[in-house]
Amino acid sequence: MDLDEALKARKSVRAFKPDPVPLSLVNEILELARHSPSGTNIQPWKVHVVTGEVRRRLEAEVLAHRDTKPADAAAEFPRTSKRKEPYTTRMRTLGKEMYGLLGIPKGDQAANWRQWGRNYQFFDAPVGLIFTIDKDLDAMSFLDIGIFMQSIMLAAKSRGLDTCSQGAWNNFWTVTRRVLNVPDDEYIVCGMSLGYADETSPVNTLVAEREPVASFATFHGFE
């Protein structure tokens, strides 16, 4: 699969097969991703790759902690939940389509809570990635991590694997920090599921709509 095909084919997968992903393949993907650009080449990304018993322990302990409705149910770094149009409509459209495919009716809080919890099971993917960053770095370094993650997602897709980047992992960070021994001077930014998509799952038929170039690009100086 070439780059153009990978960009078009990549999507967020929320149901995975249990098939294991070899360490050699994960290493191959990370070897490619390490070539990602970063501002002044600081390469701020750090990633914990979990599978097997460690992944199962992380899942179990985060889910148990989550049920206590703890204080760390939000990111420890500054975030804003304020969104205006057209962003709110795009978000709600995606949510409506996804929850429709999952058979979760609007207002079913119990079902919503269970589905949110699927994030902390990496949607059954055999490999999970947790991305961290030094706390003394600024917002530009978060952009660098995004570029690094995109490289991982495209390299994975070109090798027949699928992914789902997960902001949910910057919640309940105290457990993740403890289980993975993440230093106190690092933020837990987000996570990612990595594995082979379960093509029989209805939720994986979801393809998020993308805006045309004319809606976001302004061209200057072209003849």
Side-chain angles (χ1 to χ4, degrees):
M1 184 179 292
D2 66 20
L3 178 60
D4 289 5
E5 292 173 330
L7 276 165
K8 292 176 182 178
R10 188 221 62 83
K11 63 180 181 180
S12 294
V13 164
R14 296 179 176 87
F16 289 84
K17 297 177 181 177
D19 305 24
V21 179
L23 175 60
S24 60
L25 186 50
V26 177
N27 262 323
E28 184 178 321
I29 290 167
L30 293 177
E31 277 287 344
L32 283 170
R34 73 185 180 89
H35 294 285
S36 302
S38 59
T40 63
N41 195 39
I42 67 168
Q43 304 169 66
W45 44 75
K46 298 179 183 181
V47 58
H48 295 256
V49 185
V50 297
T51 192
E53 185 54 39
V54 176
R55 195 202 73 86
R56 287 187 287 272
R57 180 187 167 203
L58 179 63
E59 169 189 329
E61 295 196 24
V62 170
L63 286 173
H65 179 67
R66 171 177 173 261
D67 283 339
T68 69
K69 310 290 177 64
D72 64 346
E76 59 177 338
F77 55 84
R79 285 187 59 179
T80 176
S81 60
K82 295 179 181 178
R83 288 179 179 169
K84 60 182 181 180
E85 292 297 345
Y87 314 118
T88 51
T89 293
R90 293 173 187 168
M91 176 181 65
R92 288 168 181 165
T93 298
L94 177 67
K96 182 178 180 180
E97 292 174 354
M98 182 177 70
Y99 279 84
L101 289 169
L102 290 165
I104 298 175
K106 183 177 180 181
D108 189 335
Q109 295 184 355
N112 275 304
W113 179 253
R114 287 193 299 272
Q115 180 58 31
W116 181 28
R118 295 277 294 143
N119 278 284
Y120 306 108
Q121 298 172 303
F122 294 106
F123 300 109
D124 295 330
V127 177
L129 297 91
I130 301 293
F131 299 88
T132 71
I133 188 173
D134 289 351
K135 288 182 177 179
D136 59 357
L137 295 175
D138 64 18
M140 296 304 293
S141 293
F142 282 79
L143 298 181
D144 296 335
I145 286 183
I147 295 170
F148 179 65
M149 291 175 64
Q150 172 80 331
S151 297
I152 291 173
M153 290 187 280
L154 293 177
K157 188 62 187 177
S158 71
R159 285 157 177 76
L161 292 160
D162 280 285
T163 55
C164 184
S165 55
Q166 298 170 260
W169 280 97
N170 59 43
N171 295 20
F172 314 117
W173 40 270
T174 56
V175 175
T176 304
R177 184 183 303 288
R178 172 173 52 77
V179 173
L180 301 183
N181 295 313
V182 177
D184 289 338
D185 61 357
E186 295 177 19
Y187 286 131
I188 294 167
V189 179
C190 58
M192 184 186 295
S193 301
L194 174 68
Y196 299 96
D198 179 357
E199 302 293 355
T200 67
S201 177
V203 73
N204 284 340
T205 65
L206 175 63
V207 178
E209 182 181 348
R210 293 295 192 261
E211 295 294 315
V213 172
S215 73
F216 61 79
T218 303
F219 297 93
H220 302 269
F222 289 85
E223 297 295 334

